[in-house]
Amino acid sequence: MVTQLSIFIQNTKGTLEKVLRLFKNSQIQIITTTLADTQDFGIFRVICSDPERAFLVLKEAGITATLTQVQAVGLDNTPGQAADALEIFAAADIEISYLYSFLLKNKGILIFKTDTRQRADEIIKQHQLTTLNDCDLLKLAE
């Protein structure tokens, strides 16, 4: 499992920069992000070096954030690996609420959230997929 920050930010000039500046000033390294927006606000999802401390820094600055446990799977950096992994989850009737991916040290990383976390863990183990946790991602990011 990986701890993800979900930061709720207004869609106004300078808001995202303020969040990034808080991370910089607190010496918190961002590993990956994704941003989903609506007309009024965005959800800035962040995997970082110290999510608990980042949460407190954001809270002190009056920025709403939550900590969420998400799953991370490491894949070979070859075309089709993400499709193959998602096919395994679909065949097991595992619904994925959201997913984002990135490369880290030539390794594909899938970050995803599902409401059937325990079942997903079973399928990951059954199919011998590589699970990653916070420490694994930090080591890859060094």
Side-chain angles (χ1 to χ4, degrees):
M1 299 303 287
V2 171
T3 304
Q4 170 194 270
L5 272 165
S6 294
I7 306 163
F8 301 92
I9 57 174
Q10 299 241 334
N11 283 346
T12 55
K13 180 181 172 185
T15 307
L16 183 57
E17 185 270 335
K18 177 182 177 183
V19 169
L20 294 174
R21 182 85 39 217
L22 288 168
F23 276 81
K24 178 182 179 181
N25 293 343
S26 300
Q27 296 293 298
I28 297 170
Q29 181 64 40
I30 293 174
I31 296 171
T32 190
T33 67
T34 184
L35 179 63
D37 68 336
T38 65
Q39 188 170 358
D40 298 321
F41 68 94
I43 302 173
F44 187 43
R45 293 187 173 106
V46 177
I47 305 293
C48 65
S49 61
D50 193 342
E52 289 81 11
R53 188 163 59 91
F55 175 80
L56 293 175
V57 166
L58 292 165
K59 185 177 177 180
E60 288 173 9
I63 297 170
T64 303
T66 60
L67 291 169
T68 305
Q69 293 299 307
V70 293
Q71 290 170 286
V73 174
L75 304 170
D76 291 335
N77 184 15
T78 56
Q81 292 295 300
D84 291 346
L86 291 179
E87 181 179 19
I88 290 168
F89 295 130
D93 292 323
I94 294 172
E95 292 184 24
I96 294 179
S97 303
Y98 60 82
L99 174 141
Y100 50 104
S101 62
F102 57 100
L103 288 173
L104 204 53
K105 292 224 173 137
N106 206 34
K107 186 168 197 69
I109 312 290
L110 292 181
I111 303 285
F112 65 96
K113 182 170 185 315
T114 179
D115 292 334
T116 54
R117 201 175 352 175
Q118 186 175 358
R119 176 76 176 129
D121 285 339
E122 293 168 5
I123 295 302
I124 288 167
K125 189 178 226 180
Q126 178 183 348
H127 289 272
Q128 300 177 340
L129 297 174
T130 303
T131 60
L132 301 169
N133 60 33
D134 290 308
C135 292
D136 297 326
L137 290 178
L138 280 174
K139 285 178 190 170
L140 287 170
E142 291 177 342

